[in-house]
């Protein structure tokens, strides 16, 4: 008989997004995103970080202070990277799984790429104008929907110890 405690597709793709977030060097918020197509194949992943050639050690990770001395003008969001890292520029009918609700800039990219659904985990910035603007666009556009991930999973453990050594 097959096991019954396997991950659903939604849980699996969100877990890939969360694993990708572990690559982020942002000391405050690590975000990952995973794009899956209609065949449930992963076509792109990404996490928040500075653009190519912009050193994680030289660019600022600060959240406050003079704008140009903070991370905000420089960091590429996880969703942008997932779309740009994808194997195709046409992501029609794909879904994007993301740890944190997309901002307005990423939402434009997501809509323009043809993605049909956003599945998110946290909406901790729901009271910001960026997320409000994102939702205004999403609520108007007939081509895309969004929903919070429904799961009973609290956490997922991954072990690098080979099972024979347990
Ligand atoms: N949907 C989002 C929202 C934010 N990010 C990135 C941008 C920053 O690196 C970080 C947020 O930093 P905080 O203001 O919480 O210190 O997360 C993203 O990739 N996707
Ligand atoms: Zn964004």
């Amino acid at each position: 008989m097959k096991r019954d405690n396997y991950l659903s597709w939604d849980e699996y793709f969100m877990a890939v997004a969360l694993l990708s977030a572990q690559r982020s060097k942002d000391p405050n918020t690590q975000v990952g995103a995973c794009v899956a197509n209609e065949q449930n194949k992963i076509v792109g992943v990404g996490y928040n970080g500075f653009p190519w050639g912009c050193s994680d050690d030289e660019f600022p990770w600060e959240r406050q202070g003079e704008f140009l001395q903070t991370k905000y003008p420089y960091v590429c969001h996880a969703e942008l990277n997932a779309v740009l890292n994808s194997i195709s520029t046409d992501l029609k009918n794909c879904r994007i799984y993301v740890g944190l609700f997309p901002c307005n800039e990423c939402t434009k990219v997501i809509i323009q790429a043809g993605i049909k659904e956003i599945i998110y985990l946290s909406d901790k910035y729901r009271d910001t104008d960026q997320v409000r603007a994102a939702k205004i666009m999403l609520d108007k556009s007939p081509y895309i929907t969004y929903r919070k991930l429904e799961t009973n999973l609290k956490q997922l453990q991954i072990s690098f110890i080979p099972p024979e050594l347990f």
Side-chain angles (χ1 to χ4, degrees):
M1 205 162 52
K2 72 175 183 185
R3 21 192 307 264
D4 56 7
N5 63 337
Y6 57 88
L7 296 178
S8 68
W9 283 119
D10 276 355
E11 290 165 342
Y12 170 60
F13 295 128
M14 187 59 83
V16 171
L18 295 174
L19 183 64
S20 306
Q22 293 302 309
R23 283 278 311 147
S24 175
K25 319 298 181 307
D26 191 321
N28 194 55
T29 304
Q30 302 82 43
V31 185
C34 172
V35 182
N37 72 11
E38 282 179 298
Q39 292 175 290
N40 287 321
K41 291 179 182 170
I42 293 173
V43 293
V45 287
Y47 57 87
N48 54 327
F50 295 131
W52 251 17
C54 299
S55 168
D56 295 323
D57 299 314
E58 289 170 23
F59 276 65
W61 285 114
E62 273 64 40
R63 305 181 70 229
Q64 281 168 343
E66 214 251 300
F67 186 58
L68 293 182
Q69 305 304 324
T70 71
K71 63 185 171 183
Y72 295 110
Y74 311 112
V75 75
C76 297
H77 289 192
E79 304 91 314
L80 177 68
N81 280 332
V83 170
L84 293 176
N85 290 343
S86 67
I87 55 176
S88 158
T89 49
D90 181 6
L91 298 179
K92 207 170 256 170
N93 293 327
C94 287
R95 284 126 46 215
I96 188 164
Y97 293 79
V98 60
L100 190 53
F101 201 97
C103 73
N104 57 315
E105 293 300 331
C106 291
T107 295
K108 293 180 216 171
V109 170
I110 291 168
I111 294 173
Q112 293 303 81
I115 290 175
K116 69 160 187 194
E117 190 173 29
I118 297 169
I119 299 102
Y120 66 95
L121 209 51
S122 161
D123 197 8
K124 74 170 176 171
Y125 289 133
R126 70 178 75 85
D127 293 329
T128 64
D129 282 345
Q130 285 91 333
V131 171
R132 283 200 194 102
K135 287 177 182 166
I136 289 171
M137 288 184 275
L138 293 169
D139 291 342
K140 280 274 179 234
S141 172
Y143 305 114
I144 186 160
T145 57
Y146 57 92
R147 64 181 160 91
K148 189 173 162 58
L149 179 75
E150 297 285 345
T151 179
N152 292 325
L153 276 180
K154 296 268 179 287
Q155 58 179 36
L156 200 59
Q157 212 181 359
I158 296 176
S159 173
F160 283 83
I161 305 168
E164 66 274 20
L165 296 184
F166 272 133

